[in-house]
Amino acid sequence: MFLERKYVDTIKEVCNGLEERYLLKFETIGFDEDHVHFLLQSVPRDSPSRIFQIVKSITAIKIFEIHPDLK
């Protein structure tokens, strides 16, 4: 089962907001059955682990906020 279009669109919208706020550039966003792959660029201000902590936490919060039916 692949992610529904509404979830994909929400994740892309959230990532666009993150680009502006955290000076990131999402080069590629890939979707598998139940997870997402990111390839991104960032200024050398934050460590890679910090960048992905930000991306994962904010996308998770927003997707569950916008789509409470998703578990």
Side-chain angles (χ1 to χ4, degrees), residues 40-54:
L40 57 90
Q41 291 181 354
S42 175
V43 295
R45 181 181 66 183
D46 296 315
S47 69
S49 61
R50 177 71 180 134
I51 292 167
F52 277 97
Q53 179 185 22
I54 291 167

Side-chain angles (χ1 to χ4, degrees), residues 2-60:
F2 286 94
L3 289 174
E4 291 183 35
R5 182 81 187 131
K6 62 183 179 179
Y7 304 134
V8 170
D9 292 341
T10 300
I11 290 171
K12 287 181 179 180
E13 288 175 23
V14 171
C15 289
N16 285 337
L18 290 173
E19 283 184 336
E20 297 169 13
R21 183 172 177 192
Y22 291 99
L23 303 174
L24 303 172
K25 173 67 177 142
F26 286 86
E27 296 292 332
T28 304
I29 303 174
F31 298 91
D32 275 338
E33 291 181 18
D34 60 353
H35 58 279
V36 180
H37 299 275
F38 298 111
L39 176 64
L40 57 90
Q41 291 181 354
S42 175
V43 295
R45 181 181 66 183
D46 296 315
S47 69
S49 61
R50 177 71 180 134
I51 292 167
F52 277 97
Q53 179 185 22
I54 291 167
V55 171
K56 286 175 61 176
S57 64
I58 293 175
T59 54

